[in-house]
Amino acid sequence: SQQGEEDPQALSIQEGENATMNCSYKTSINNLQWYRQNSGRGLVHLILIRSNEREKHSGRLRVTLDTSKKSSSLLITASRAADTASYFCATDRRGAGSYQLTFGKGTKLSVIP
Amino acid sequence: EAGVVQSPRYKIIEKKQPVAFWCNPISGHNTLYWYLQNLGQGPELLIRYENEEAVDDSQLPKDRFSAERLKGVDSTLKIQPAELGDSAVYLCASSYLISNEQFFGPGTRLTVL
């Protein structure tokens, strides 16, 4: 079963604009991760944020986590055509077994050159 | 460093036929995962190995699916017999035992006719 739900399901922006994707989840977590999947490829880990963290940065990526609302957001600044991909949030749920991730359905991002 | 290797990349079979997928994880990674990804969905865990032990196979349909990880390195996932609903991408991932980040292979796209 899917733990996380990304929003929106699809997003289309112009190159240079910022892209924001949201993720909501249902149960308490140890950490939340974001992954990227290019068409026909495997998933690539982008960033991990722990349950006691509120914000984390990595290059052009900014992730926030609000455990009270059970939600997270991924912001990609100054988007590039190469950022076109599907983005998934994945939660490492407490009590679900160490290092077992549950993925959402993903947000499909299209960056138009 | 080589990434997670999967083969074949594509497989087309008729229903009721058997099929097998192979995965070679990143060298030194103790934990290996098999995921199923349907179109437009996130990956769903089928089975997780720690070394050669299957520590979580609760989502593996054991009537037709089987997996093995001999010697704690390579792994094979088998479906026998395949059904139309098994058409999906089968992803393999690996990680260090105490790491949260998973490294994914490119997947095997299975089409059952």
Side-chain angles (χ1 to χ4, degrees):
Chain A
S1 61
Q2 308 280 178
Q3 155 79 322
E5 289 284 340
E6 288 89 344
D7 169 59
Q9 291 186 358
L11 179 62
S12 184
I13 60 174
Q14 295 289 327
E15 198 167 28
E17 294 180 339
N18 295 340
T20 299
M21 289 158 271
N22 303 296
C23 169
S24 59
Y25 56 92
K26 299 174 183 175
T27 61
S28 296
I29 61 172
N30 292 319
N31 64 69
L32 185 145
Q33 303 180 40
W34 285 90
Y35 284 78
R36 182 187 73 226
Q37 186 176 36
N38 292 89
S39 180
R41 311 277 289 274
L43 283 78
V44 174
H45 180 267
L46 295 176
I47 196 166
L48 179 152
I49 186 165
R50 301 192 185 283
S51 59
N52 61 353
E53 297 176 312
R54 293 295 168 260
E55 187 171 314
K56 203 161 183 180
H57 297 254
S58 177
R60 294 184 294 114
L61 306 180
R62 173 178 168 254
V63 169
T64 62
L65 179 64
D66 186 334
T67 53
S68 65
K69 295 181 179 178
K70 292 186 170 61
S71 67
S72 174
S73 68
L74 170 67
L75 168 68
I76 303 174
T77 60
S79 64
R80 305 167 181 168
D83 294 328
T84 295
S86 291
Y87 292 82
F88 296 89
C89 69
T91 52
D92 178 359
R93 290 180 292 163
R94 289 178 184 169
S98 298
Y99 320 119
Q100 178 176 321
L101 296 180
T102 305
F103 289 82
K105 295 182 179 180
T107 292
K108 192 169 184 177
L109 173 66
S110 298
V111 181
I112 303 166
Chain B
E1 179 184 87
V4 176
V5 179
Q6 290 188 249
S7 68
R9 290 294 312 277
Y10 305 91
K11 189 73 177 179
I12 300 174
I13 61 172
E14 294 188 347
K15 62 181 181 182
K16 300 185 181 179
Q17 294 299 307
V19 64
F21 315 123
W22 175 80
C23 173
N24 181 237
I26 292 174
S27 177
H29 280 192
N30 312 80
T31 307
L32 184 145
Y33 311 78
W34 282 103
Y35 288 91
L36 178 153
Q37 185 176 24
N38 287 305
L39 188 65
Q41 303 289 315
E44 297 183 46
L45 182 70
L46 289 172
I47 189 168
R48 175 169 66 98
Y49 283 92
E50 289 183 7
N51 298 306
E52 57 275 351
E53 182 183 358
V55 295
D56 184 356
D57 63 355
S58 58
Q59 302 302 312
L60 190 72
K62 298 181 184 64
D63 57 337
R64 297 184 300 108
F65 286 66
S66 65
E68 60 182 12
R69 191 185 184 196
L70 300 176
K71 300 180 182 179
V73 182
D74 295 3
S75 178
T76 302
L77 177 69
K78 297 178 182 178
I79 308 175
Q80 182 170 8
E83 298 179 351
L84 294 175
D86 296 332
S87 294
V89 175
Y90 291 82
L91 294 165
C92 178
S94 68
S95 68
Y96 288 112
L97 189 60
I98 58 172
S99 169
N100 285 291
E101 179 181 351
Q102 296 183 20
F103 294 80
F104 283 79
T108 296
R109 182 176 295 277
L110 173 67
T111 301
V112 182
L113 303 175

